[in-house]
Amino acid sequence: MRRMFSSGRPHTLGARLWRLDWTLLLVVALLAGIGVGMLTSVNGGSFQPYAERHALRFLIGLGIVIAMAVTPLRLWMRLAYPAFAVGVVLLALVPLVGVEALGARRWLGIGGMTFQPSEIIKIALVAALARYYHDLGPERISRPTWVLVPLLMIAVPVMLTLRQPDLGTAVLFACCGLGLMLLAGVHWAYFTAGTIASLAAIPLALSRLHGYQRKRLEVFFDPDRDPLGAGYHITQAKIALGSGGVSGKGFMQGTQSQLDFVPEKHTDFILAILGEEWGFVGTAAVLLLFALLVTMALVAALRAESQFARLVIAGFALTVFIYAAINMAMVTGVAPVVGVPLPLISYGGTNMITLMISLGLAMSAHVHARDGLYGD
Amino acid sequence: MTDIWDEADRERALARTFTRRGLLVGLGQAAVFAGIGARLYQLQVVERGRYVPLADQNRLDVQILAPVRGRIVDSTGLVLADNEEGFRVILTPALAGDLTSVLRRLSHILPMSTEKRQQLAVRARRQSRNAPLVIASDVTFEQLAEINLLAPELPGVRTEITWKRRYCEGETMGHVVGYIGAVVKGELDADDDPVLRVPGMRTGKTGIELALEKELRGKPGTERTEVDARGRTMRALAREEPQPGRDARLTIDTRLQRKVLARLARERQAAVVALDVETGAVKVMASVPTFDPTDLAAGLSSRTWRRLVTIASRPMLNRAVSGVYPPGSTFKMITALAALHANVVTPKEHMACGGAFEFAGKTFRCWSRSGHGSVDLHRAIRESCDVYFYEIARRAGIDAIADMARHLGLGRTYPTEIALQKAGVIPDPDWKRQTLAKQWLGGETILAGIGQGYVAATPLQLAVMTARVATGRMVMPTLLQPEPDAAHEEFKSLGLEPAWLDVVRAGMAAVVNEDGGTGRGARLEDDRVRLAGKTGTSQVNRASSDRVQSEIDWAQRDHALFVAYFPYDKPRYAVAAIVEHGGGGGATAAPLVREIAETILAHDAERQSEVPPPQLPSAAPPKREG
């Protein structure tokens, strides 16, 4: 079926490039730049190896974003379901033939290289849900059968990642997936019912937590219980953050980080170091940048003119929001430690690349937003 | 047209829903971020007064408290090794900031050469910055006070009370007590006790310090404190007291040991072991040259240490338990008992010794060139006739000899608190196949019969062997005094025919007390007590034993051995002695054993007339001040 009111498609490469949301990319680049700066400081002033690698990955990611953005959206639409299917299959293979490291089975190995299938799902789940709701008409959205399908699409990866165990990623899948369902228009009743049900199921969930996860929960409520063990992260992070004061101790002057008191300072707890060195001014700035990024993405989603495009861009916004919010809550001690990185700032290769691929998808939707997705 | 409008309506409916919900989601995320922002504000602005001092100044510190090492005392309660309180200075590089200037300031109080400071700086770089470094272990109280006074200028520096090992009887008990030294990497791998990682921790290396390391060490304690950036303790959180090590009480009487060593020291390289045959208690364990563990505890320069370790006379070697020698003729009792047990000879059977023995085309000579004539077992032992023993060894076979040797305590180490024992060698065809990948030869059996060839034993083993022959029981040596209320169990019987043991013993008595005996030099002056024994001369160099010993180079001379027990009628002590390169056993080792036996008897008599020994001081170490 032909759309009658499509308002001009970008035909040339130049036109597509022109349509990229460069301001959004600027915000992303700013955050990545902050990441590079922090990684330099955290490594005692040395650009290598963390800061350098981080910058390199960002540049590669940027290239991916632009390349994906200029690719017509309908290609991504066609790939959505196949990618999701492949991802689920690979994810299911992990407990069977997966590689184990650090007490978790999350990786598959091929020819000496390892990768995490859950990273594929991070992108494919958004794309698949977007495609699903793009095809589904408004009259069927809230019918039980049609609600069950996306719930299954979310539940399967969540179960599989929970078993790895990888609580952080499972939470991401659940929140992002449910958020997309909400935005797509599923009736409120489902959500209220779901909330009540999950509140009731909390005791059951608690009993099924792994030992170390339960310990994290206990320690969250009382960090002094194990000041040198699991409570150490939280206590040290709060000390580092708090001691930064309003304006911080200055670049590379963070005593807690330089004296090696804050663990995982390159990755999950990097915000604590930022807080120590740049104070409230610094952390508020980062917070505002993330808020800005999410808002800009949501606005772009609102402007998009197909359901697929809207949901794909919203998916990116939700991903950034969920990661940033959980990480910051964790570092400030209002959420238990679940091992979630701060997007664009924490060191960690797969996360950066996956996020950029998400952004690439969203950007493609934005560039081709006024495309007709059916027909030429 | 209807389709299109439906399509458009649908699209608009979806868009409207999305817009509505999108705004909601947007508000939601703004609220969450605002909440996080508020939390950040709370931590960084409102509560910063609380966190800033926490960060700058406080640190959780878990310290391991080293336990006080157990003491070592002798049989009378005389303290051989105990602990002296001392002070030491520790530096944590992570807290010191500018390490070089801190070290420089420290060197005004504690004398430190520039070289020493450089060494410390290198060590600090190599290990973790949070790991403490021992700067000086022997600090005086004045220096301690000065350091604490200047604490603000010496960040990362702290002082500690420590214990230093003190050896009270120096060279006399050097080999027996042993010494402690710094922990070696191999020990860390084998033992995961956290106290081994405390800086300055020392473990036993030889002697009782090594053998009873676990009992002497005790259990570490822990102390959790909050310290500020300077390392000053802010408050103690929890403390678990260390458990001091247990004391060890030895069976040796230092005064007796000293007297024996005084005599022994006249030889260049020699060793003596004396056992109480009823309890297996070691009464004397002496080896010369000896060393003073105090020198080692004080810390030697690496040059002095290297000299001690590489010098040819090897003073660090406890020859009594680690010196391995061919036992020579002292082995003959075993051959005799093996042959009797195998029923290949009777005590009355006479053999002809013409000075030589033909076997497999080779000639094996008796030490007496002209031979002994007609010998029975008694005479063979008395005059140590090699030919007789060649023959009965040949008849009995190596397996019988090896079995009897092991039964009498050779070829093994004893599961007891004597450190660094060597097992020696009791050869048999299996052993030769495994060790040398060669087949056993008949000639090697007959050499083994006179304690030569591959046979090798330590003085401790020879003393045990003698004790077993003297008592007919499986005597086991021990260095530890049993608990006063512990029941004393008799050693199990060897299971050998009393008649055979009697013959052998009579032969040993004849060695010392009858004409023709090779060990007449061991005969005691006091006729009331008779000593029985056996000489041994173990070849160092085959060619040289033909010549007069005094004409050969000292290092080429044969070793002189003598084993004995006394009193003959009611055995109480067994003694084994070796004088390295001492020449003939009868000439050198026998008189030595006589003097030692007389010393032991005199010492016993002295002790009988003394007041009962003083009470053992209580096992708990004195309380720490402060």
Side-chain angles (χ1 to χ4, degrees):
Chain A
M1 267 182 269
R2 197 180 279 274
R3 290 173 162 280
M4 299 275 274
F5 43 81
S6 58
S7 45
R9 266 167 299 164
H11 284 284
T12 62
L13 182 64
R16 290 180 183 150
L17 284 173
W18 177 250
R19 285 195 181 208
L20 252 81
D21 194 343
W22 291 104
T23 5
L24 190 115
L25 279 180
L26 186 66
V27 176
V28 169
L30 260 177
L31 283 167
I34 291 176
V36 171
M38 286 315 305
L39 286 170
T40 316
S41 156
V42 143
N43 212 34
S46 164
F47 194 59
Q48 286 155 337
Y50 299 111
E52 189 181 54
R53 284 201 200 139
H54 195 80
L56 202 65
R57 284 189 193 129
F58 174 67
L59 289 173
I60 293 175
L62 202 58
I64 292 176
V65 167
I66 296 177
M68 284 179 77
V70 302
T71 318
L73 191 59
R74 56 174 175 274
L75 174 67
W76 304 124
M77 247 191 75
R78 284 202 205 120
L79 285 178
Y81 284 139
F84 183 67
V86 167
V88 169
V89 165
L90 286 176
L91 200 58
L93 279 178
V94 166
L96 301 172
V97 297
V99 172
E100 205 169 299
L102 303 173
R105 247 188 184 191
R106 302 181 187 172
W107 293 267
L108 284 181
I110 289 186
M113 294 203 352
T114 53
F115 69 95
Q116 288 186 339
S118 50
E119 299 295 313
I120 299 178
I121 298 285
K122 283 181 188 171
I123 306 159
L125 180 63
V126 167
L129 285 173
R131 176 69 202 263
Y132 179 80
Y133 280 109
H134 177 86
D135 290 339
L136 207 62
E139 68 278 357
R140 287 197 276 182
I141 284 183
S142 296
R143 293 257 181 83
T145 346
W146 302 108
V147 169
L148 196 63
V149 173
L151 277 180
L152 274 172
M153 284 168 76
I154 298 171
V156 169
V158 167
M159 292 284 111
L160 287 172
T161 40
L162 267 181
R163 210 181 278 131
Q164 282 180 347
D166 188 352
L167 188 57
T169 309
V171 167
L172 173 74
F173 289 158
C175 294
C176 201
L178 291 171
L180 284 176
M181 287 176 73
L182 178 72
L183 287 170
V186 173
H187 199 278
W188 283 108
Y190 285 103
F191 290 98
T192 20
T195 316
I196 295 173
S198 41
L199 281 175
I202 283 181
L204 178 68
L206 282 179
S207 71
R208 301 225 30 231
L209 280 180
H210 285 245
Y212 80 92
Q213 289 166 336
R214 191 177 313 177
K215 197 153 200 258
R216 279 190 179 166
L217 217 58
E218 284 174 13
V219 159
F220 167 64
F221 288 110
D222 182 14
D224 279 320
R225 203 178 240 226
D226 189 6
L228 286 183
Y232 191 69
H233 287 56
I234 299 176
T235 317
Q236 290 302 328
K238 287 205 291 204
I239 291 177
L241 265 178
S243 65
V246 176
S247 56
K249 297 178 185 163
F251 186 62
M252 283 194 49
Q253 300 302 322
T255 54
Q256 300 302 98
S257 60
Q258 302 304 339
L259 283 181
D260 295 335
F261 285 144
V262 182
E264 292 183 39
K265 54 187 183 174
H266 299 100
T267 52
D268 295 357
F269 280 84
I270 197 163
L271 186 72
I273 311 305
L274 202 148
E276 189 184 29
E277 297 190 359
W278 299 103
F280 181 69
V281 168
T283 48
V286 166
L287 192 63
L288 281 171
L289 277 173
F290 276 115
L292 189 63
L293 181 59
V294 173
T295 311
M296 288 173 78
L298 279 176
V299 165
L302 289 177
R303 284 178 52 198
E305 291 187 2
S306 83
Q307 191 75 325
F308 183 75
R310 280 194 287 269
L311 289 174
V312 151
I313 301 175
F316 170 74
L318 281 172
T319 306
V320 173
F321 170 65
I322 291 167
Y323 271 142
I326 294 183
N327 179 283
M328 292 203 223
M330 199 174 75
V331 171
T332 52
V334 294
V337 174
V338 286
V340 161
L342 192 60
L344 299 168
I345 300 186
S346 283
Y347 179 76
T350 23
N351 246 287
M352 166 80 90
I353 299 292
T354 312
L355 196 70
M356 296 304 259
I357 295 178
S358 262
L359 179 59
L361 195 57
M363 205 57 92
S364 174
H366 179 72
V367 164
H368 301 90
R370 294 160 273 272
D371 247 355
L373 285 170
Y374 290 102
D376 66 286
Chain B
M1 278 301 231
T2 338
D3 298 340
I4 297 169
W5 285 117
D6 284 334
E7 169 77 30
D9 282 334
R10 268 208 203 110
E11 203 39 58
R12 264 204 293 273
L14 286 172
R16 263 205 308 273
T17 316
F18 188 92
T19 311
R20 236 189 358 249
R21 297 194 174 192
L23 286 173
L24 215 68
V25 168
L27 277 175
Q29 68 97 349
V32 170
F33 276 141
I36 292 178
R39 171 68 173 168
L40 282 169
Y41 184 79
Q42 179 201 24
L43 282 180
Q44 297 190 285
V45 177
V46 172
E47 288 189 3
R48 98 166 183 275
R50 185 173 140 214
Y51 287 109
V52 169
L54 276 175
D56 274 344
Q57 293 165 18
N58 287 1
R59 187 171 85 94
L60 276 177
D61 189 18
V62 179
Q63 256 185 286
I64 300 199
L65 305 172
V68 178
R69 199 172 174 85
R71 299 174 309 166
I72 303 175
V73 297
D74 83 352
S75 61
T76 63
L78 184 70
V79 175
L80 300 173
D82 66 359
N83 309 292
E84 230 177 358
E85 211 181 58
F87 304 108
R88 68 179 184 187
V89 178
I90 304 217
L91 178 123
T92 311
L95 300 171
D98 184 356
L99 188 67
T100 15
S101 64
V102 170
L103 285 176
R104 204 177 355 106
R105 264 174 263 150
L106 256 184
S107 63
H108 294 314
I109 310 173
L110 306 169
M112 264 192 285
S113 66
T114 348
E115 186 198 334
K116 173 103 198 285
R117 270 183 276 148
Q118 274 169 0
Q119 268 177 5
L120 287 168
V122 165
R123 278 235 307 273
R125 268 200 299 275
R126 234 187 279 143
Q127 57 182 49
S128 157
R129 295 183 66 224
N130 289 307
L133 204 61
V134 177
I135 303 284
S137 304
D138 233 328
V139 180
T140 68
F141 191 69
E142 289 78 23
Q143 291 169 320
L144 185 87
E146 245 192 279
I147 290 175
N148 276 317
L149 195 67
L150 291 171
E153 287 167 45
L154 298 168
V157 174
R158 68 168 195 271
T159 56
E160 247 183 26
I161 300 182
T162 183
W163 300 96
K164 213 173 62 148
R165 200 65 162 161
R166 182 171 58 174
Y167 296 107
C168 311
E169 291 302 324
E171 286 191 343
T172 306
M173 297 297 272
H175 283 121
V176 175
V177 164
Y179 66 97
I180 57 173
V183 177
V184 168
K185 177 156 195 313
E187 291 172 62
L188 284 176
D189 291 335
D191 187 349
D192 58 2
D193 191 348
V195 77
L196 289 181
R197 291 186 160 76
V198 172
M201 182 65 186
R202 290 185 145 59
T203 51
K205 303 293 177 218
T206 66
I208 289 286
E209 297 273 34
L210 172 63
L212 294 178
E213 170 64 32
K214 281 274 148 58
E215 289 84 351
L216 291 170
R217 191 192 291 172
K219 278 204 167 44
T222 53
E223 175 158 52
R224 269 217 304 184
T225 55
E226 265 182 5
V227 293
D228 70 1
R230 304 275 187 251
R232 270 190 301 235
T233 310
M234 293 272 91
R235 58 179 174 139
L237 294 174
R239 186 187 169 101
E240 205 184 296
E241 287 297 329
Q243 267 179 42
R246 286 212 308 260
D247 287 351
R249 189 166 187 180
L250 306 185
T251 53
I252 299 185
D253 181 339
T254 313
R255 285 183 304 171
L256 173 62
Q257 173 101 340
R258 199 178 296 134
K259 291 175 194 168
V260 170
L261 256 176
R263 167 59 185 88
L264 199 65
R266 299 212 305 255
E267 310 297 336
R268 268 168 76 163
Q269 284 162 210
V272 171
V273 174
L275 302 177
D276 178 324
V277 304
E278 282 168 28
T279 62
V282 175
K283 297 311 294 174
V284 172
M285 184 159 87
S287 167
V288 293
T290 181
F291 71 98
D292 188 346
T294 318
D295 293 338
L296 294 169
L300 296 169
S301 76
S302 55
R303 214 166 17 132
T304 322
W305 166 254
R306 232 177 301 136
R307 202 157 39 93
L308 250 189
V309 167
T310 56
I311 195 175
S313 64
R314 300 178 71 188
M316 304 295 297
L317 177 69
N318 183 354
R319 292 173 157 83
V321 301
S322 311
V324 179
Y325 312 94
S329 302
T330 56
F331 191 78
K332 285 175 179 167
M333 284 79 78
I334 290 176
T335 315
L337 287 168
L340 287 169
H341 182 80
N343 227 337
V344 298
V345 75
T346 64
K348 283 291 159 234
E349 184 183 332
H350 284 252
M351 297 187 203
C353 168
F357 182 85
E358 297 291 327
F359 180 85
K362 287 222 206 105
T363 308
F364 294 82
R365 284 218 275 239
C366 187
W367 68 264
S368 164
R369 283 326 214 48
S370 47
H372 292 94
S374 174
V375 287
D376 63 358
L377 180 55
H378 181 90
R379 188 160 170 227
I381 295 178
R382 183 180 74 202
E383 297 173 34
S384 199
C385 175
D386 294 333
V387 170
Y388 182 94
F389 283 96
Y390 287 148
E391 172 60 21
I392 67 171
R394 184 192 66 81
R395 291 186 197 176
I398 185 61
D399 287 317
I401 297 175
D403 283 344
M404 184 59 71
R406 293 186 192 119
H407 195 53
L408 286 179
L410 299 192
R412 59 169 293 187
T413 58
Y414 307 111
T416 183
E417 58 295 312
I418 301 175
L420 303 176
Q421 293 174 48
K422 283 267 161 65
V425 176
I426 294 298
D428 65 10
D430 285 332
W431 169 89
K432 192 176 180 203
R433 219 187 343 260
Q434 276 169 16
T435 324
L436 299 173
K438 288 215 196 116
Q439 257 214 313
W440 186 262
L441 301 171
E444 291 168 338
T445 305
I446 66 176
L447 273 182
I450 63 161
Q452 297 281 170
Y454 299 115
V455 183
T458 64
L460 175 66
Q461 290 169 329
L462 292 174
V464 170
M465 172 195 81
T466 310
R468 291 188 178 189
V469 169
T471 58
R473 297 186 174 281
M474 310 220 14
V475 179
M476 268 295 196
T478 175
L479 254 184
L480 273 190
Q481 195 87 285
E483 298 295 314
D485 46 359
H488 170 60
E489 268 179 45
E490 258 194 345
F491 293 114
K492 258 178 36 194
S493 166
L494 281 172
L496 296 176
E497 280 287 330
W500 303 336
L501 286 170
D502 282 340
V503 168
V504 169
R505 290 177 192 145
M508 287 173 78
V511 166
V512 176
N513 299 296
E514 281 180 22
D515 288 334
T518 53
R520 306 220 46 207
R523 184 171 172 173
L524 297 178
E525 284 205 17
D526 185 353
D527 275 334
R528 287 173 296 170
V529 181
R530 274 194 304 166
L531 180 144
K534 183 73 192 74
T535 53
T537 309
S538 98
Q539 278 186 356
V540 170
N541 185 327
R542 279 237 342 243
S544 65
S545 45
D546 285 343
R547 297 159 59 190
V548 178
Q549 290 290 308
S550 50
E551 288 172 12
I552 316 168
D553 266 345
W554 179 83
Q556 299 302 313
R557 293 188 209 161
D558 299 334
H559 297 315
L561 298 107
F562 196 78
V563 299
Y565 68 90
F566 60 96
Y568 176 61
D569 313 301
K570 210 167 162 295
R572 270 216 59 207
Y573 297 107
V575 178
I578 179 168
V579 179
E580 284 189 24
H581 309 295
T588 315
L592 171 66
V593 171
R594 175 180 66 81
E595 290 183 56
I596 290 174
E598 285 172 346
T599 309
I600 294 177
L601 290 167
H603 184 81
D604 272 357
E606 212 180 279
R607 295 243 4 247
Q608 299 288 29
S609 61
E610 266 177 6
V611 185
Q615 275 296 336
L616 179 66
S618 90
K623 283 250 180 291
R624 256 164 68 169
E625 296 304 303

